[in-house]
Amino acid sequence: MVKIILESESTSYVNASTAEAIKDTLQSKFENIQVSLNLEDIDNSKEHFIVEQFISSLSKDRKKVYIKNELFLIQYFLPEGTADRNQKYIQTGDSLYEYLENIPFSNSVLHGNSMHYKISDSKLVFSIMYTQRLVLQETSSPLMGKLYQKDNIRV
């Protein structure tokens, strides 16, 4: 059996979600704003964030070391008729640089890079890339039992 784990941690990578870490960070910084990982949970009459993984790639670095890149799009919506809408989008976009650059993740910290935002279709679209080093670790499996023969009967 092979498990992928973070190189610097012994926590199983499978149990951690970068999207959840982003969501948790946004919820702690913007306490009165809804943050969702899917479109179904959204009330469009209120301001809200949607976090979505846009691209994920995994490439081999060395024998058992892989580099995982995840590009996320964070969309921020303000209701129609909000005063100074573009100015609020710019202020929020600038804040996201600081808030999402380093986020808590599975007993460590993920570092964001390649951050940028744009205002498009009456919403703020912020993109950020998180890169992780992953190591394959093999867990030992029990060996097959031995066969013994007694009086023409295999045990």
Side-chain angles (χ1 to χ4, degrees), residues 44-107:
N44 285 326
S45 66
K46 298 178 182 173
E47 68 181 307
H48 59 276
F49 288 97
I50 297 175
V51 178
E52 65 178 316
Q53 184 178 23
F54 187 63
I55 297 173
S56 178
S57 67
L58 187 67
S59 58
K60 195 167 190 170
D61 186 37
R62 293 187 303 253
K63 186 174 180 178
K64 291 185 179 184
V65 178
Y66 290 81
I67 304 297
K68 180 169 188 171
N69 291 304
E70 295 176 290
L71 177 63
F72 285 88
L73 297 181
I74 293 96
Q75 299 178 59
Y76 175 56
F77 298 84
L78 286 168
E80 290 291 328
T82 302
D84 298 325
R85 197 174 188 181
N86 278 350
Q87 187 59 35
K88 287 183 181 179
Y89 282 147
I90 292 169
Q91 289 171 346
T92 302
D94 289 342
S95 297
L96 291 175
Y97 286 129
E98 177 186 346
Y99 298 155
L100 297 178
E101 182 178 13
N102 299 300
I103 60 172
F105 180 78
S106 184
N107 300 324

Side-chain angles (χ1 to χ4, degrees), residues 5-11 62 65 132-135 137:
I5 67 161
L6 293 173
E7 184 176 58
S8 60
E9 298 294 325
S10 60
T11 306
R62 293 187 303 253
V65 178
Q132 302 172 60
R133 294 173 59 85
L134 304 176
V135 175
Q137 268 196 353

